Amino acid sequence: MPRGHAERFAIGIDLGGTNGRAAVVDSAGRLRGVSKRRLPDRAPEKVADLLSEISREAIASARIAEKDVAAVGVGAAGQIHSGSGVVAMGPNLGWKQVPFAAMLTARLPWQAMLMNDLSAAAWGERCIGAGEGLPDVLLVFVGSGVGSGIIAKGQLYEGAAGVAGELGHTKAVPCGRLCGCGERGCLEAYCGGHNLSAQVTEAVAAGRATRLDTSGGRAVGAGEIEKAALAGDTLARELWDNCQGLLSTAIANFTTLLNPSRVILGGGVLSRSPELKKAVARRALELVSASAREGVQMVDARLGDDAGVIGAGLWALSAAHPERSPS
Amino acid sequence: MPRGHAERFAIGIDLGGTNGRAAVVDSAGRLRGVSKRRLPDRAPEKVADLLSEISREAIASARIAEKDVAAVGVGAAGQIHSGSGVVAMGPNLGWKQVPFAAMLTARLPWQAMLMNDLSAAAWGERCIGAGEGLPDVLLVFVGSGVGSGIIAKGQLYEGAAGVAGELGHTKAVPCGRLCGCGERGCLEAYCGGHNLSAQVTEAVAAGRATRLDTSGGRAVGAGEIEKAALAGDTLARELWDNCQGLLSTAIANFTTLLNPSRVILGGGVLSRSPELKKAVARRALELVSASAREGVQMVDARLGDDAGVIGAGLWALSAAHPERSPS
């Protein structure tokens, strides 16, 4: 407890498309109490009500006093203006121009701050995870979607409109496969988890033979594709190779442009496909420009699903107590 | 003259592979006196001697007193550690780990600061050129080489090792054409001016018909390729189309990742190929992710060859007088 302050806590919240998860986070990034609930409704008022409730539940579970909480940080998917606390575009929730930080602050005794979910995860990894203490770090996330968070000079970098780091929507294949965003050829349209399983379904519907089980409309996971690819299944191998090639090039070019000292690889697709993750890390390093390659490391994310709540909590705490910011 | 200071000046220097150019720059970025000379020798001591001489010549030509100069900023190509003032790798000069800022400071009555040449140009355009006053700006430069400068949150971003923004060495074609950097498939290997003319020479040597004149080993310029392409020359059209496609995709992906509010296009290849520049700007905007496309503008550079000396001078001046920094 430096400088005579009593220990202060923040609440970190991960707001997904189906669940909200709140955690009390201490200044070292430890989780002290957690509450998670399904969103009953996507109307912003109802979501704010729910997040307010789970925040109080997390506090109760942590057995701390409300007065010891300094701030609330929320990470949400989409285009977020963190300065104004507005969700400009939240595709998972169907939101446009929702002043959500103000709505949540009105329901709580603390200031609520809003940020992009991958920025939150990147900040968490940077503070107490795989990028601890480093000023220039990229978090690359390959899960159902593909995205990233950028730490530059020890600060989050979110761009002019809060959407920097949209690695999943860089164009990997000119005029290629249709992406969920409505455009063609995006990296996510090939390497995101939903799209990997969709590519299997489409290939089977087109008559391709495979040992992957799509019976009854079953969605095939990235781990299954990796196993089948390594066991010699031709379709699985094509998808795996393509995913590896596109991800490696995109991550390498991102690294060449930003020159970080560490690139952190996370997300469900990579964690369930360990050979893919290894191959991507190895090949991406080969493709980085020689000068940006020197001194950069590609490492695994360390905080798993907790990165977002930890990052959002620590970010809110450092905004409330700038003198304790871990820069 | 705010706050009662007398007007102060900086010297901005552009250190190329064959010439040094020094200019006195005032706090509004105006050039007050210029001196340019050919490097007699690439030995760091000789180059420092020359830059010291042309600095004094620029001051004499500006008719100001030495005491009114606050600092010296030098932009040089390559991998520059601006914090320590070391040229880690200067390919044009054949330098490695040269503590050049200290060498120049020892020869002058002012502190010399060192930066990458495209960072200097980006800073110049950001201060008084096509990105004036904007916090998030990219400068994309397509000349004999291809590169960029990044302004993020109103500051230069140079990465962990001083090499952020190496757009020319992002991989555009897996296992593609050999680049001057020794790697394969770099954007510069297709779109840099030297490589454009080399591709013509190679095609002619391989028996391709073209109206482009390569007689006597003549290097064909980007402007000639554009003219021939528009006049229906098949080889020129192939090169022009390929250059347009690769540049558009690379610039679009850079814009998606960094989410700037302005992208500034400069450099000799683009200024001598106005139709190429227009086509690249149009197509790149189409390929940017939808959310990063909102509010971004692709514009022409405004300062031409002066961007580097202006940017290096203003950067040194703002470091010497931080209260006058134009952020």
Side-chain angles (χ1 to χ4, degrees):
Chain A
M1 267 155 270
R3 306 189 194 190
H5 293 289
E7 169 101 270
R8 298 302 295 275
F9 301 92
I11 297 171
I13 298 180
D14 185 6
L15 173 57
T18 48
N19 293 294
R21 183 165 173 258
V24 171
V25 179
D26 70 17
S27 59
R30 283 178 296 245
L31 298 192
R32 297 296 191 96
V34 177
S35 173
K36 177 176 175 178
R37 281 209 259 155
R38 200 174 171 80
L39 305 180
D41 188 318
R42 289 176 177 178
E45 290 77 11
K46 303 283 186 181
V47 173
D49 288 343
L50 183 92
L51 298 194
S52 159
E53 286 164 31
I54 62 175
S55 296
R56 291 174 202 273
E57 288 169 6
I59 289 172
S61 137
R63 301 183 185 199
I64 61 164
E66 283 200 356
K67 70 171 175 49
D68 293 330
V69 172
V72 177
V74 181
Q79 184 179 353
I80 312 286
H81 293 285
S82 56
S84 61
V86 170
V87 178
M89 180 78 74
N92 292 347
L93 293 160
W95 291 2
K96 275 190 189 177
Q97 300 300 337
V98 174
F100 191 70
M103 294 173 60
L104 189 54
T105 299
R107 287 164 171 80
L108 291 170
W110 319 284
Q111 178 75 34
M113 300 175 68
L114 200 60
M115 69 199 305
N116 174 271
D117 59 344
L118 291 183
S119 291
W123 190 246
E125 291 286 353
R126 190 263 166 181
C127 289
I128 64 157
E132 191 172 347
L134 296 174
D136 302 292
V137 174
L138 303 180
L139 170 71
V140 170
F141 186 92
V142 187
S144 54
V146 176
S148 79
I150 300 172
I151 311 289
K153 295 189 181 183
Q155 298 188 312
L156 267 177
Y157 182 69
E158 301 193 283
V163 297
E166 286 196 309
L167 183 66
H169 301 290
T170 58
K171 299 300 178 280
V173 179
C175 309
R177 195 176 143 75
L178 188 64
C179 183
C181 74
E183 314 219 334
R184 291 201 168 272
C186 296
L187 183 66
E188 182 172 302
Y190 295 90
C191 306
H194 286 318
N195 280 291
L196 278 170
S197 84
Q199 287 170 90
V200 175
T201 310
E202 291 162 18
V204 169
R208 289 287 302 271
T210 177
R211 70 182 71 184
L212 291 165
D213 175 16
T214 60
S215 56
R218 199 178 151 274
V220 173
E224 293 172 78
I225 295 174
E226 170 153 306
K227 263 187 210 143
L230 299 177
D233 185 86
T234 310
L235 173 64
R237 187 76 212 189
E238 278 175 26
L239 289 172
W240 194 97
D241 283 346
N242 193 42
C243 188
Q244 186 268 114
L246 297 178
L247 276 177
S248 302
T249 304
I251 293 170
N253 288 347
F254 195 16
T255 304
T256 298
L257 290 170
L258 274 291
N259 183 29
S261 60
R262 199 160 292 174
V263 178
I264 303 171
L265 303 176
V269 165
L270 294 181
S271 67
R272 285 190 286 272
S273 315
E275 293 306 315
L276 177 67
K277 185 161 62 176
K278 270 189 246 167
V280 165
R282 189 172 56 236
R283 182 65 181 143
L285 269 182
E286 291 169 0
L287 293 171
V288 171
S289 71
S291 49
R293 186 188 307 136
E294 255 181 62
V296 72
Q297 293 180 299
M298 304 252 169
V299 303
D300 290 354
R302 270 203 227 139
L303 306 181
D305 289 342
D306 291 335
V309 291
I310 293 171
L314 288 177
W315 187 65
L317 204 57
S318 72
H321 295 291
E323 77 277 12
R324 296 197 204 168
S325 171
S327 65
Chain B
M1 267 155 267
R3 306 187 195 194
H5 293 292
E7 168 102 90
R8 299 301 295 276
F9 301 92
I11 297 169
I13 299 181
D14 184 8
L15 173 57
T18 48
N19 292 294
R21 183 164 174 260
V24 171
V25 178
D26 71 17
S27 58
R30 283 177 296 244
L31 298 191
R32 298 294 192 95
V34 177
S35 173
K36 177 176 176 178
R37 281 210 258 157
R38 202 174 169 81
L39 304 180
D41 188 317
R42 290 179 176 174
E45 291 77 11
K46 301 283 185 183
V47 173
D49 288 344
L50 183 91
L51 298 194
S52 158
E53 286 164 31
I54 60 174
S55 296
R56 292 173 203 275
E57 289 169 6
I59 289 171
S61 137
R63 303 186 183 196
I64 61 167
E66 283 199 357
K67 70 171 176 49
D68 293 329
V69 172
V72 178
V74 181
Q79 183 178 353
I80 312 287
H81 293 285
S82 56
S84 61
V86 171
V87 178
M89 180 77 74
N92 291 348
L93 294 159
W95 291 2
K96 276 188 189 180
Q97 300 299 339
V98 174
F100 191 69
M103 295 172 61
L104 189 54
T105 300
R107 286 163 170 81
L108 291 170
W110 318 284
Q111 177 73 34
M113 301 174 67
L114 199 61
M115 68 198 305
N116 173 271
D117 58 345
L118 291 183
S119 291
W123 190 245
E125 291 284 354
R126 190 264 165 179
C127 290
I128 65 157
E132 191 172 346
L134 295 174
D136 302 292
V137 174
L138 303 180
L139 171 71
V140 170
F141 186 92
V142 186
S144 54
V146 176
S148 79
I150 299 172
I151 311 290
K153 294 187 180 184
Q155 297 188 313
L156 267 177
Y157 182 68
E158 302 192 284
V163 296
E166 285 196 310
L167 184 67
H169 301 290
T170 58
K171 299 301 177 279
V173 178
C175 310
R177 196 176 143 77
L178 188 64
C179 183
C181 75
E183 314 220 334
R184 290 200 169 271
C186 296
L187 184 66
E188 181 171 305
Y190 295 90
C191 306
H194 287 320
N195 280 292
L196 277 170
S197 85
Q199 288 171 89
V200 174
T201 309
E202 290 162 18
V204 169
R208 289 288 302 270
T210 176
R211 70 183 72 183
L212 292 165
D213 176 16
T214 59
S215 56
R218 197 179 151 273
V220 172
E224 292 172 79
I225 295 173
E226 171 154 306
K227 262 186 211 144
L230 298 177
D233 186 86
T234 309
L235 173 64
R237 186 78 210 189
E238 278 176 25
L239 289 172
W240 193 96
D241 283 345
N242 192 42
C243 189
Q244 186 269 115
L246 297 178
L247 275 178
S248 302
T249 303
I251 293 170
N253 288 347
F254 195 15
T255 305
T256 296
L257 291 170
L258 273 291
N259 183 28
S261 60
R262 201 162 288 176
V263 178
I264 303 171
L265 303 176
V269 164
L270 293 182
S271 67
R272 285 191 285 274
S273 315
E275 294 306 316
L276 177 68
K277 184 161 62 174
K278 269 188 245 169
V280 164
R282 190 172 53 234
R283 181 67 181 142
L285 268 182
E286 293 169 358
L287 293 172
V288 171
S289 71
S291 50
R293 186 189 306 137
E294 255 180 64
V296 72
Q297 293 180 299
M298 304 252 167
V299 303
D300 290 355
R302 270 204 226 139
L303 306 180
D305 289 344
D306 290 337
V309 290
I310 292 172
L314 287 177
W315 187 66
L317 203 55
S318 71
H321 294 292
E323 77 279 9
R324 298 197 204 169
S325 171
S327 66

